[in-house]
Amino acid sequence: MLQEKKLLSIVIPVFNEEEVLPEALSRFVKLKDKMSDVVSVELIFVDDGSRDSSLNILKAAAKTDETIKVLSFSRNFGHQIAITAGMDQAHGDFVAVIDADLQDPPELIEDMYAVATSGYDVVYGKRKSRAGETLFKKATASAFYRMMSYLCDVDIPRDTGDFRVVSRRVVEAFRGLRERHRFVRGMIPWIGFSAVPFEYERQERFAGETKYPLKKMLSFAANAIFSFSKKPLTLAIRLGVATIALGLLMAVYFLYMKLFTDTPVPGLTAILVSIVFFSGVQIAFMGGLGEYIARIFEEAKGRPLYFVAETINIKQAD
Ligand code: UDP
Ligand code: MG
């Protein structure tokens, strides 16, 4: 009996990528055709509120090919939510996630899929090199991954992004995680199941510029920390305890000086400096606490993660 062919869904978040899309489309379609002997492929483009002609380019492509599916958001909701929406729509037995800018070569999905079908639930791209990225980006990225591995209880593999192939059961599990502040590359390891790295050379962006300017990168990092780790709170407690200990030591020292020596107790400067310093510490930690409260506030509202403005080649029932 002929076994029914499996389906692979490829999720591609798109935000203002008109310069890249024609080339990306042609490479994704080529890949789809190449893999068609092994597996059926659907391409799910999630237009994250692009303000250029990205959506029109995608629509035109979807018109002639019904395996090209397009979902467009009502506004820009962000890369991580775009990935989520794509995974919500994916029907595949396996689902690949890849950026539109061709930094991660689409052709690799064929090999990653082969690895996945050999018995892994997660095959994640691991960057051997980062071509065309500035020293600054490389340094900040490396510092970020180091800090995350210290802060998080789940092991987030270093030098990985959102380029990966996952199995149906990972997708189902992921669908159950509806938090608003999403850090997908941490959520997938948190879900678990068997995972294996797939090393590759990260390319330069094909065209256009990064949609993660420094400001967005910082908020991505802050988000990863505050929505994924409660360690800053623990650190705050530890620092507090250490400060109390320091205060006690100082008290004992000054008391000793006053009672048992003739040396006058040093005065105002020490008091001023410590007041200013520790007020700073307190305010900073209150701010940190605020980050958590803000997240509770956001989650408590329980709003939908995104709104869909338009879909093409996607049945709305699901
Ligand atoms: N992207 C998105 N929404 C955003 C920002 C980016 O969907 O708000 C998409 C973007 O089109 C690309 C992917 O996410 O396909 C990664 O963005 P980018 O390549 O700019 O990030 P970088 O590789 O520079 O970190
Ligand atoms: Mg990129």
Side-chain angles (χ1 to χ4, degrees):
M1 204 183 80
L2 200 68
Q3 218 188 342
E4 211 185 319
K5 220 200 271 179
K6 290 207 148 75
L7 176 68
L8 169 68
S9 310
I10 302 182
V11 169
I12 309 145
V14 173
F15 178 52
N16 294 344
E17 301 284 9
E18 62 182 0
E19 287 160 273
V20 184
L21 275 179
E23 170 76 9
L25 273 162
S26 104
R27 278 174 65 180
F28 279 115
V29 169
K30 229 179 258 163
L31 172 76
K32 178 162 69 82
D33 294 342
K34 187 158 173 258
M35 290 183 78
S36 64
D37 290 340
V38 188
V39 62
S40 313
V41 176
E42 61 171 1
L43 302 174
I44 303 175
F45 288 92
V46 181
D47 171 50
D48 186 10
S50 296
R51 287 179 282 269
D52 63 1
S53 62
S54 295
L55 182 58
N56 289 334
I57 299 173
L58 292 173
K59 274 186 184 168
K63 238 180 218 149
T64 58
D65 182 344
E66 62 172 20
T67 63
I68 297 181
K69 317 200 162 193
V70 183
L71 180 150
S72 81
F73 281 170
S74 57
R75 64 170 173 85
N76 179 253
F77 280 94
H79 181 204
Q80 304 290 298
I81 292 186
I83 292 174
T84 306
M87 286 175 71
D88 287 344
Q89 289 301 333
H91 291 284
D93 302 285
F94 285 88
V95 178
V97 175
I98 181 170
D99 291 349
D101 62 355
L102 303 175
Q103 277 195 284
D104 311 318
E107 295 73 23
L108 297 181
I109 291 178
E110 190 177 3
D111 292 338
M112 290 168 83
Y113 175 73
V115 175
T117 49
S118 77
Y120 290 99
D121 286 282
V122 180
V123 180
Y124 58 91
K126 186 169 166 59
R127 300 154 183 178
K128 267 198 287 192
S129 65
R130 295 163 154 259
E133 289 189 349
T134 59
L135 205 63
F136 177 73
K137 174 119 189 184
K138 282 184 210 172
T140 48
S142 143
F144 171 66
Y145 284 109
R146 214 163 305 194
M147 190 176 61
M148 283 309 287
S149 76
Y150 167 68
L151 286 177
C152 294
D153 296 332
V154 272
D155 214 5
I156 300 172
R158 237 181 248 182
D159 289 322
T160 65
D162 290 312
F163 182 33
R164 67 173 72 75
V165 173
V166 297
S167 68
R168 185 79 231 154
R169 55 181 182 171
V170 173
V171 175
E172 293 299 333
F174 186 76
R175 280 187 184 170
L177 312 184
R178 301 312 284 181
E179 63 249 47
R180 163 147 299 278
H181 296 279
R182 309 178 77 75
F183 180 57
V184 178
R185 65 195 69 166
M187 292 162 78
I188 302 278
W190 183 85
I191 290 171
F193 296 114
S194 57
V196 66
F198 182 94
E199 289 209 334
Y200 72 107
E201 309 272 347
R202 194 153 208 243
Q203 310 296 311
E204 276 181 52
R205 188 174 237 287
F206 176 75
E209 52 194 45
T210 175
K211 308 297 177 293
Y212 272 102
L214 184 62
K215 204 172 133 213
K216 247 190 186 172
M217 234 162 75
L218 287 178
S219 92
F220 180 78
N223 191 36
I225 294 167
F226 291 116
S227 63
F228 221 79
S229 168
K230 46 186 192 314
K231 219 169 203 165
L233 296 174
T234 320
L235 289 178
I237 296 173
R238 275 193 214 151
L239 189 77
V241 172
T243 313
I244 292 170
L246 184 73
L248 285 177
L249 277 178
M250 275 165 68
V252 170
Y253 172 71
F254 288 135
L255 214 60
Y256 170 83
M257 297 280 274
K258 191 156 177 92
L259 294 180
F260 301 107
T261 68
D262 294 330
T263 333
V265 173
L268 207 57
T269 323
I271 296 172
L272 275 183
V273 168
S274 52
I275 287 180
V276 170
F277 179 76
F278 291 110
S279 309
V281 170
Q282 281 184 30
I283 293 169
F285 279 99
M286 254 155 63
L289 209 59
E291 287 290 330
Y292 287 96
I293 294 172
R295 277 165 175 74
I296 298 170
F297 169 63
E298 293 281 343
E299 295 299 341
K301 285 193 266 190
R303 290 183 178 172
L305 288 179
Y306 54 84
F307 290 107
V308 175
E310 208 176 334
T311 61
I312 298 136
N313 295 337
I314 291 176
K315 284 179 221 78
Q316 265 306 289
D318 41 36

